Amino acid sequence: MARTARKKSNSGIYHIIIRGINRQTIFEDQEDCTYFLQILQRYKEISGYGIYAYCLMGNHVHLLIKIGIEPLEQVMRRLCGSYVYWYNLKYQRVGNLFQDRFKSEPVETDEYFQTVLRYIHQNPIKAGLVKRVEDYPWSSFHEYVTQAALVTTHLLLDMISDDNQPKRERFIEYIRENSDQECLDIDPEGKQRLTDEQAREIIKQACHLKNAIDLQQFDPHTRNTYIKILKERHHLSIRQIERLTGINRGIVLKA
């Protein structure tokens, strides 16, 4: 079946999601997150795009960007290609890390721009990682409330400004507001019994590993034995094991 053509944005602004292949974790530690942000900064200067928001989750990334010199597809090839090369070298793996096709949606109005930006920053709360948006370290929230280094903050701050309230104070209030509005998202997977952070720690301890993805390195018999333990003793879901270890769903299912 032919792929649906990507919708073009008249404003040049897109909400983008990059996801790990087989829902694999793409950020194992702080160094991984830091390096991805460095790549965003590097290609921002080369490709001429603007960044309004970002949020690095365990197995996916949300971006709100405005395309500049280079088209969207070229920008994403640069970002993904650079990170995959570094990640594979660090973790001694080969092959794809990201799902073949990133997801995107055009952002054409001020109202939807505000909605998407709040949605991106609230992502860690909805995923059960934190209770307050300010407690999550890997989003652009902190650039809005302290000092912007990577993101352009004035567009959103001007939109929601109130003459009776400082802009950054208004921003915090706006981002904390409950919102049921839906935006582009990864495919729903249902609620998990454990957060990914909890499940990752279980995998590392139960399998005696430094990183969850290292489970791929075992011989098939040992690997399958550990997978069975994770499913039956620790009650990790098939999708969660698949996502955190990068092991094919069929293998996890049969183990």
Side-chain angles (χ1 to χ4, degrees):
M1 182 180 293
R3 286 181 171 179
T4 304
R6 193 178 299 281
K7 292 182 179 180
K8 299 296 182 181
S9 171
N10 294 323
S11 68
I13 301 176
Y14 292 89
H15 174 203
I16 296 166
I17 297 178
I18 319 167
R19 185 168 72 176
I21 191 169
N22 295 326
R23 300 180 177 85
Q24 176 177 334
T25 296
I26 57 178
F27 301 112
E28 290 288 341
D29 56 28
Q30 293 185 4
E31 183 183 36
D32 296 346
C33 294
T34 299
Y35 188 76
F36 188 86
L37 294 181
Q38 290 173 351
I39 292 172
L40 272 182
Q41 180 66 63
R42 182 194 314 160
Y43 288 116
K44 177 184 175 184
E45 299 171 3
I46 295 172
S47 304
Y49 53 77
I51 305 174
Y52 299 113
Y54 64 80
C55 186
L56 313 186
M57 302 292 285
N59 70 338
H60 66 283
V61 179
H62 286 268
L63 299 173
L64 182 59
I65 70 174
K66 182 173 183 177
I67 297 306
I69 301 169
E70 296 178 337
L72 179 61
E73 288 74 12
Q74 186 172 349
V75 168
M76 300 312 296
R77 280 196 298 271
R78 286 187 184 277
L79 293 176
C80 295
S82 295
Y83 185 73
V84 171
Y85 178 81
W86 180 84
Y87 184 95
N88 282 355
L89 190 64
K90 176 181 176 180
Y91 293 107
Q92 298 182 330
R93 67 184 296 277
V94 295
N96 295 329
L97 175 65
F98 293 111
Q99 198 167 271
D100 287 343
R101 199 180 192 216
F102 63 91
K103 299 179 71 174
S104 69
E105 64 172 344
V107 178
E108 305 284 21
T109 67
D110 290 354
E111 291 76 16
Y112 195 58
F113 178 87
Q114 295 171 44
T115 295
V116 171
L117 193 141
R118 177 166 57 190
Y119 179 81
I120 288 174
H121 287 116
Q122 289 184 350
N123 218 248
I125 294 177
K126 294 181 178 180
L129 300 179
V130 294
K131 293 184 178 180
R132 303 185 307 166
V133 66
E134 57 264 39
D135 292 337
Y136 193 71
W138 301 109
S139 81
S140 49
F141 175 87
H142 304 283
E143 297 204 27
Y144 276 90
V145 298
T146 55
Q147 184 174 1
L150 180 58
V151 301
T152 299
T153 62
H154 68 81
L155 183 60
L156 185 279
L157 294 178
D158 289 345
M159 286 180 183
I160 64 172
S161 64
D162 183 338
D163 292 339
N164 299 318
Q165 189 176 24
K167 289 184 177 181
R168 284 175 171 78
E169 186 178 297
R170 171 66 187 124
F171 168 79
I172 294 172
E173 183 181 87
Y174 175 76
I175 294 300
R176 286 176 175 171
E177 291 175 2
N178 290 329
S179 174
D180 294 328
Q181 292 173 290
E182 291 297 324
C183 303
L184 179 72
D185 204 346
I186 57 175
D187 297 334
E189 302 178 40
K191 293 185 178 180
Q192 299 169 347
R193 299 177 183 178
L194 297 169
T195 67
D196 280 356
E197 193 60 38
Q198 292 170 326
R200 186 180 292 109
E201 287 304 312
I202 288 173
I203 293 171
K204 290 192 291 186
Q205 292 179 22
C207 306
H208 311 290
L209 298 170
K210 183 178 180 180
N211 298 295
I213 61 170
D214 291 341
L215 188 57
Q216 299 179 27
Q217 307 302 321
F218 285 118
D219 64 87
H221 176 73
T222 304
R223 176 200 65 201
N224 293 346
T225 299
Y226 278 131
I227 291 174
K228 188 175 182 179
I229 290 172
L230 294 173
K231 290 192 297 183
E232 296 181 358
R233 186 179 303 172
H234 297 283
H235 308 293
L236 269 63
S237 70
I238 292 170
R239 286 196 170 182
Q240 200 162 39
I241 296 171
E242 172 195 27
R243 182 168 63 250
L244 298 178
T245 65
I247 295 173
N248 182 274
R249 178 178 174 81
I251 293 175
V252 178
L253 187 63
K254 293 177 182 179

